[in-house]
Each structure stands twice: as C-alpha cells, then as structure tokens.
Amino acid sequence: MGSLKGEKFRRSCTETGRGVLSDPQTRAIYDIYGKRGLEMEGWEVVERRRTPAEIREEFERLQREREDRRLQQRTNPKGTISVGIDATDLFDRYEEEYEDVSGSGFPQIEINKMHISQSIEAPLTATDTAILSGSLSTQNGNGGGSINFALRRVTSAKGWGELEFGAGDLQGPLFGLKLFRNLTPRCFVTTNCALQFSSRGIRPGLTTVLARNLDKNTVGYLQWRWGIQSAMNTSIVRDPNPSHFTVALQLGIPHSFALISYQHKFQDDDQTRVKGSLKAGFFGTVVEYGAERKISRHSVLGAAVSVGVPQGVSLKVKLNRASQTYFFPIHLTDQLLPSAVFYATVGPLVVYFALHRLVIKPYLRAQKEKELEKQRESTATDILQKKQEAEAAVRLMQESVRRIIEAEESRMGLIIVNAWYGKFVNDKSKKSEKVKVIDVTVPLQCLVKDSKLILTEASKAGLPGFYDPCVGEEKNLKVLYQFRGVLHQVMAPDGEALRIPKQSHRIDTDG
C-alpha cells in the first residue's frame, strides 16, 4: 500500500514540470535533490509547510531508513534463543522426612536445557541465494550442534528449488532437496527430500505438502511425511480479520492427535492477541491459552499457559525483537495442580502490568520527550518565525473582525468569546506537564461566515493567524462562543473537522 502511494506521489511530481513548480514542498525537494529526491519513498506522509532545512533532514532520515531496509532484506537475519527452566521444586517438593539432607528451605530453580540458532541469507544473483544457518543445543549437561548451508534458486515465477548440506557432532552429514511449485493460482505444493547419515545407517525422509485456497480467507493443507516420524496430516486454516481459526488431524507413528485453536486480534494500538487451543491424542491431552502484546515499535511480548496430561503445567514466555526470538519455557509441575495453574495465569499478568507501569511506560515517555526536545530545538527558529507571521496576520484581521462582530451582534449570531489552540493538560496526574496554548480568538472570528464556522479535517496549524506551539505533541482546539445569546463550548482534537454552532455544545446554566 505504501509503495502504491509513493508511486502515485512520484508520478504526480514528475509527469509535468508544472506539477513540481506549483507545489511548494515538491519544488523545494526538486531544487535541493533533483529528480532523485522526488523518487524517494516516504514524502507522501511528510507534513507540508517544511523549510528547506527540515526537508533536507527528512530526506537524510528517509535515505537511512531505506538503506536499513535494503540491508535487512538482503541478509534477512533470523535468530532464536530458547532457555528451558525447571521450576517443579516450587510445587512438587518432597516432604522433609524423605529428604536425606535438610535443605535451605528455598526451592531450587534450574536451567535444564538451552537452544541457540541463527541464520542469514546472501543474495548471489537475481535468482540465487545462499543461506547459512547453525544451531547449538544442550540438555542436562549434554549437548551438540550443527551447521547447514543451502543454495536456493528461483526457477520461474511459479516455483523455486533449494539444495541443503549439513553436518553436526551428534549426527552425520545431511543432504536435502526442497521444491516449491504453484500448480494453479489457488493451489501449490512443496516437497522436502532428505538423507541423514548416521552410525545406524542412512535414514531417508520425504515430506510433501499440498495446499489450496478454499475461499478468500480459508486455506486447506494436506501433508504426508514418510521415513522419519511417518504421518499423514490435514488441516484447515481460516483467517478472517481479526480472527484466526485452525483445525488439524494427524494420523502417524508415534503420534496421532486432533487439534483445534483460535486466536483473536484486538483493534488497538498495542496489537493485543489472545489465543487458546486444545490438543488431544495418544500421548495425552493439552490445553493451552495465552496472549501477546506489542510493547514497543519492534518488540512483542507473549505468554502462554500449557496444562496437560501427563505433561503437567508449564508457562511459556516469548519475546520477539525484530527478527530475533527469545523463548523461555518454564516447567512448573508434573501434576495437575490448581495452584500451579492459578500462579501461571495470574503471575505473568501482575508482572507485566507492574513492568508496564514502572519500566516500559516511563522509558517510552522518556524516549518520546527526548525526541520532542530534539525536534523543538531543531524547529525553534521556525516556530518563532511562524509566531511572528501569525501575530502579523492577526493585526491585519482586526478591522475585518470588528465588522464581522458588528454584523453578528446585530442578528444575535455567532460570536467567538474565547478560543485556544495547543496542548491542554486536564489529567491531575500530569500537573508537571506544561500547558502550551495560543489565543486564536481573532483568527477564528475572522473565519465566521453567515453565523457559521466550518473547519475541515486537517491540522489547524495551517490556518491564517495560527501556528504550532508544540511541535510533535497532541493538540486540541477549545472554543467558547455565543450564539443566540447563549454560551456554548467545544473542544475538538487537531485534525478533526469542526462545525459550529451546534445544540450539543450548549452550556447548561439551569443549575
């Protein structure tokens, strides 16, 4: 969507020289950077009325972001760190009479397993990509690692193939072949063949997946796995926004199971998701539920509780930071204890809200204040200039406003008593924040026509006699006006349309 907007923006600016010359911002961009500047993506979302210095700074920022994206796309680094924690001593402690040595009374929490994996990609040509990956694992003092090298080639618009070579200290050499092919616009197939060499001989494996779009939001999968853990699996995934629903059935050796899961995404700024699943098979039954939430621009924190037989109760905490994943499965008990389920559910919520209030929100607020302070310093001269321009415009409006007020008073029309624009602080918890408002009574009265004032959906900072007193911060327009001899009051967020007079703005003076 962003690239489409960028293409429209560039087309509108480069089709004719008249389009560039008529728009002040695109003219400034063209004067500084030429056609190359107009082709830079991101200008379409930049606020207008920028000075050449601000445009130059914005161009450099967009150029840095584009270089970062290109590097990220070229290498595509991915990493996973998993730390398994054994906390069963919290709930499954032995009675004192069974202990040979009296302990300290504190439960023992141990790290019993770890796993680290990393992969990067290196484009060789337009169709060939090399992939290097490695992993290290340890469990109860024993561990091993492996390294893999793969070469992927895009054969056509409908498919690609990949050759893989791997080796490790616990397993012998590995040779693999992966193929992907679009059979029809709604159907594709993937095949993975592998040969694993070990002291027991050669272990072949074959996995084939056939997928088809059943409708706009539904995809069906059919998987056949032979050799290593042979199985037949079928699943249906339905993804109508904001829900995600999955049903799966597997028949295989050694595991056969049925799975149903549901996930719901809330339409909020933090992109909160809640999910739950039920999995039942020959190995037992597992119920899992959890949630995840965006805590910063590049970080998502999630937690899930797993309750099953015979697995017991586990808490799984996951943090996604850009393309890196940090996973902490915490095994609490081998039994189905209500106390373990309760603490695994309530504990993460208490810790999250405490961290969010005491650490995350203050940190994000400090970062925002730092950015705003930097922005204020860089725009201080421009703000002063715009303030002087606004004051000059107000002085020129005085005579026109006097005539408008006389006309409105003669017919008991719309009189702007007071009007303020900027940042208002109403929350008592934010008393330390500075109120930054300007008086815009005269400019608003000058816009009154036939006892009506209509403002469109745009920032009010661009209106005659206005300027932005707090760059980068949320602003409102507060108006106290008189209509038909009755006082009215309204506060409208900056950027929203405003139409007065309205009956809903009337101040009730009956009390």
Side-chain angles (χ1 to χ4, degrees), residues 22-87:
S22 62
D23 184 82
Q25 175 166 301
T26 54
R27 172 61 185 267
I29 297 170
Y30 186 81
D31 289 343
I32 298 172
Y33 298 105
K35 187 177 179 181
R36 182 172 64 97
L38 296 175
E39 293 175 350
M40 176 72 68
E41 289 188 9
W43 290 119
E44 64 275 4
V45 296
V46 174
E47 183 183 358
R48 296 188 179 272
R49 299 178 305 278
R50 294 283 181 102
T51 64
E54 292 173 326
I55 291 174
R56 184 178 293 105
E57 183 180 348
E58 192 68 27
F59 176 83
E60 293 172 355
R61 183 186 67 81
L62 292 172
Q63 194 172 37
R64 287 194 302 269
E65 290 183 356
R66 186 177 69 169
E67 292 299 326
D68 291 342
R69 285 197 302 269
R70 288 180 61 184
L71 180 62
Q72 183 80 7
Q73 291 169 358
R74 286 179 65 86
T75 59
N76 193 23
K78 296 179 182 178
T80 300
I81 296 178
S82 177
V83 180
I85 300 174
D86 183 1

Side-chain angles (χ1 to χ4, degrees), residues 373-490:
E373 185 64 29
K374 184 179 178 181
Q375 191 175 12
R376 280 194 290 264
E377 291 176 359
S378 63
T379 58
T381 305
D382 186 49
I383 291 177
L384 181 60
Q385 179 183 350
K386 290 182 178 179
K387 179 181 178 181
Q388 294 172 350
E389 293 175 356
E391 291 174 348
V394 169
R395 287 194 294 270
L396 294 175
M397 295 177 185
Q398 295 290 346
E399 184 61 29
S400 298
V401 169
R402 185 185 62 80
R403 291 196 299 268
I404 292 173
I405 292 176
E406 290 177 355
E408 294 295 327
E409 285 179 343
S410 64
R411 56 189 175 195
M412 295 288 286
L414 178 59
I415 305 295
I416 306 297
V417 180
N418 276 309
W420 303 270
Y421 173 70
K423 178 182 178 182
F424 296 84
V425 180
N426 297 323
D427 192 345
K428 293 182 180 180
S429 63
K430 299 181 180 179
K431 286 184 177 180
S432 60
E433 294 189 22
K434 187 178 179 181
V435 178
K436 303 171 185 176
V437 297
I438 58 174
D439 189 338
V440 291
T441 306
V442 173
L444 275 190
Q445 186 69 66
C446 192
L447 295 174
V448 173
K449 185 177 181 181
D450 298 329
S451 298
K452 292 179 183 179
L453 175 62
I454 301 174
L455 302 179
T456 59
E457 292 183 357
S459 176
K460 312 301 184 292
L463 295 174
F466 282 65
Y467 70 94
D468 193 341
C470 45
V471 177
E473 300 184 60
E474 292 185 2
K475 293 173 282 292
N476 290 275
L477 176 62
K478 186 175 182 180
V479 185
L480 177 66
Y481 64 94
Q482 184 176 307
F483 183 70
R484 297 287 186 261
V486 180
L487 285 177
H488 297 65
Q489 183 171 279
V490 61

